[in-house]
Amino acid sequence: MTNTTHIAPDALEDLRKQIEGSVFAPGDSGYDKARMTWNLAVQQFPAAVVMATSDADVVAAVRFAGQQGLKVGVQATGHGVIRPADGSLLINTAQMAGVEVDAATQTARFEAGAPWGAVLEKAQAHGLAPLLGSSPSVGAVAYSLGGGLGWLARKYGLSADSVTSFDVVTANGRTLHVSADENTDLFWGMRGGGGGFAIVTSMEIKLYPVAEVFGGNLVYPAALAGEILRRYRDWIATLPLEFSTSVALMNLPPLPMVPEFLRGKSVAMVRGCYCGPVGEGQALLQPWLDWQAPIANLFHPMTFSSVAEVSNDPHDPVPGATTGAWLSELSDTAIDALVRYGVSINGSSPFVLTEVRHVGGAMASVDHNSNAFPHREESLLLDVTGMAPTPEAHAFVVNYAREFKSALEPAISGLYANFTERDEARHAVAHSFPPETLQRLAALKAKYDPDNLFDYSYQLGDGADAS
Ligand SMILES: Cc1cc2nc3c(=O)[nH]c(=O)nc-3n(C[C@H](O)[C@H](O)[C@H](O)COP(=O)(O)OP(=O)(O)OC[C@H]3O[C@@H](n4cnc5c(N)ncnc54)[C@H](O)[C@@H]3O)c2cc1C
């Protein structure tokens, strides 16, 4: 176990009295579970973990941290840890997972720990859809703080643009309602600028009338990856906003959880979700089927509640390393790099997934100054994930990804906060904001968190790094 800040027993006792939920400190039997993240490659050793059950718990924890001189980390699921919460008071919101849907106003309001799946389920009961991403296990709040691009992105845009309000706890332990009418500076900055300004306790979003979609994967042999990416480049130029698509190069492990016909194989998949009439989606997909019969055609009409089938991301915790980038183009050189690094030949690539998503569409059509999200003109998004069961494997994946990105460099136009983690998220994301936006975000940080209590988020100012 790494060195961790110690909280005096009487202070800990005092904290326990103030918290309705639970408090775990090193040595407590629940501590190891409470400090766990979804990404098992992250090991973190907070001074204590508060499993919050209410806004009042969050307020009490923040005030306690201030009095004790502790920094505050916050976590819902641990899918996107920016900086391991070593030595912090970690506020875990997983038990704050209430969701309410108002079908009449087509909105959902939920607590900070709600995973997208919980929002999806309640919304789909009314034929409505939230703008979740590829995995329903991801936390809805942090996903939206970073932007949030999923299978309805081209039609309905970023999740951040659909947020109508937040309830937050600030660094001085005050509760604020944040919306287009109240605390508007925070409303601007938290949508796209991340969670370093205040702790969200609940969030309200717009929902959209999407009940059925046509979605799935065409699975081709990896030997066709280059040709598929070249065809994809032309195909996406013809697609309506209803069709959000990607190409995924996958190196599948030889594990029982993988369907037998894919076990241990490398494949290239054309993925998509069409939210218009099914027949139109089938017609738009037809050029692929005319070109070459896939190993498997997994496209089918489905209720939107099943949309996670398209990406089939792991639900249970796994040890991984992820990175990504915006791509300005799918040039032949970029395609060569994607295939060279993404397709494993005799174990040459540690990546499980190299995915290029076609985004753009609705995210470009809102006022570019309406919030802090900086990448509205981008249309191609790269996402790369490798398995990292040991620190050595993690270092290998990170180095390999660095080399891969160098080979792609001419096509890389910036970083997408949600597809970065750890050092890259903490230090590099800021470089992706235009200088005026970064300046505004730094001013917001100075106003709402002048002592950098929430020092486990993106580093947007000059704050010293204690790690
Ligand atoms: C399998 C997988 C699939 C994904 N798919 C997509 C996708 O399709 N599209 C997309 O855009 N992104 C996607 N992501 C990225 C994901 O949106 C981010 O990693 C997101 O930050 C995860 O949120 P979380 O609550 O699940 O994770 P956590 O690790 O719990 O939170 C991430 C960070 O957010 C901050 N935070 C958490 N809760 C709060 C709060 N209440 N108040 C303030 N700050 C807070 C903290 O700094 C925390 O470190 C995916 C990630 C994974 C692992």
Side-chain angles (χ1 to χ4, degrees):
M1 180 159 131
T2 57
N3 193 17
T4 182
T5 311
H6 180 73
I7 304 176
D10 53 340
L12 209 51
E13 211 35 58
D14 188 33
L15 176 65
R16 287 198 164 105
K17 280 188 198 139
Q18 297 176 52
I19 298 291
E20 274 174 61
S22 327
V23 178
F24 297 100
D28 293 345
S29 60
Y31 175 76
D32 280 338
K33 187 161 179 243
R35 69 175 181 81
M36 215 181 123
T37 61
W38 179 85
N39 183 348
L40 298 175
V42 176
Q43 290 296 324
Q44 56 184 4
F45 298 92
V49 185
V50 170
M51 300 297 298
T53 54
S54 64
D55 294 24
D57 278 357
V58 177
V59 169
V62 166
R63 289 189 178 159
F64 175 85
Q67 289 153 8
Q68 294 288 317
L70 294 167
K71 300 285 184 184
V72 171
V74 54
Q75 174 179 317
T77 72
H79 273 74
V81 174
I82 296 168
R83 176 181 170 206
D86 293 333
S88 76
L89 185 68
L90 176 63
I91 299 176
N92 186 315
T93 62
Q95 290 173 8
M96 294 172 65
V99 179
E100 285 166 22
V101 167
D102 185 334
T105 57
Q106 303 200 342
T107 56
R109 185 182 161 75
F110 45 84
E111 291 183 287
W116 270 127
V119 186
L120 179 66
E121 191 187 329
K122 291 232 163 137
Q124 282 285 278
H126 303 280
L128 296 170
L131 302 182
L132 79 162
S134 56
S135 165
S137 319
V138 162
V141 163
Y143 167 97
S144 307
L145 295 172
L149 285 160
W151 284 118
L152 298 176
R154 281 173 43 75
K155 176 72 177 168
Y156 295 112
L158 294 167
S159 180
D161 294 336
S162 281
V163 174
T164 51
S165 71
F166 300 102
D167 286 297
V168 305
V169 175
T170 56
N172 56 9
R174 275 204 309 151
T175 55
L176 292 182
H177 188 65
V178 173
S179 71
D181 302 316
E182 287 174 77
N183 301 299
T184 52
D185 52 356
L186 273 180
F187 191 57
W188 170 83
M190 292 180 69
R191 290 174 304 141
F197 310 102
I199 298 181
V200 177
T201 53
S202 61
M203 190 170 103
E204 187 181 80
I205 57 166
K206 291 184 208 155
L207 300 171
Y208 299 91
V210 179
E212 192 188 36
V213 294
F214 176 64
N217 289 260
L218 299 177
V219 185
Y220 289 101
L224 294 174
E227 203 176 337
I228 286 172
L229 282 160
R230 273 183 278 277
R231 291 183 69 84
Y232 184 70
R233 176 174 62 191
D234 299 335
W235 183 58
I236 55 179
T238 69
L239 297 182
L241 298 185
E242 283 75 12
F243 217 168
S244 288
T245 63
S246 74
V247 166
L249 310 181
M250 295 200 73
N251 304 308
L252 295 148
L255 296 175
M257 68 208 256
V258 178
E260 200 175 344
F261 75 102
L262 293 174
R263 226 170 269 169
K265 297 220 165 75
S266 293
V267 290
M269 298 185 177
V270 178
R271 296 186 152 163
C273 172
Y274 183 72
C275 62
V278 169
E280 283 177 23
Q282 284 165 331
L284 289 162
L285 192 69
Q286 193 57 39
W288 288 101
L289 302 170
D290 294 343
W291 166 63
Q292 182 117 206
I295 303 169
N297 176 357
L298 306 175
F299 270 86
H300 63 100
M302 58 174 83
T303 59
F304 190 67
S305 53
S306 302
V307 71
E309 266 182 43
V310 178
S311 301
N312 205 15
D313 286 341
H315 168 74
D316 293 331
V318 286
T322 286
T323 185
W326 300 104
L327 298 180
S328 57
E329 56 177 354
L330 265 181
S331 60
D332 286 345
T333 317
I335 289 174
D336 286 349
L338 286 161
V339 175
R340 193 162 71 250
Y341 285 86
V343 175
S344 195
I345 299 164
N346 300 325
S348 60
S349 172
F351 297 156
V352 179
L353 172 75
T354 304
E355 184 174 33
V356 177
R357 299 186 184 187
H358 180 214
V359 289
M363 82 181 194
S365 63
V366 299
D367 174 2
H368 287 26
N369 296 315
S370 60
N371 61 42
F373 184 79
H375 307 287
R376 299 206 172 266
E377 297 301 331
E378 302 289 350
S379 63
L380 293 166
L381 179 58
L382 172 72
D383 174 23
V384 181
T385 299
M387 285 301 111
T390 61
E392 294 73 28
H394 188 270
F396 183 71
V397 176
V398 169
N399 277 334
Y400 187 85
R402 205 170 285 140
E403 262 182 49
F404 170 45
K405 281 187 164 182
S406 301
L408 272 175
E409 182 58 35
I412 290 183
S413 48
L415 292 177
Y416 173 43
N418 277 5
F419 288 168
T420 58
E421 58 182 20
R422 301 219 239 175
D423 281 352
E424 192 177 44
R426 183 157 169 79
H427 299 290
V429 160
H431 298 296
S432 263
F433 291 105
E436 332 66 83
T437 308
L438 187 55
Q439 225 170 29
R440 234 175 124 179
L441 290 171
L444 206 58
K445 179 78 179 166
K447 176 175 169 188
Y448 285 96
D449 184 16
D451 298 327
N452 199 15
L453 188 74
F454 305 130
D455 190 21
Y456 291 84
S457 190
Y458 312 131
Q459 197 161 27
L460 297 171
D462 300 326
D465 206 334
S467 62

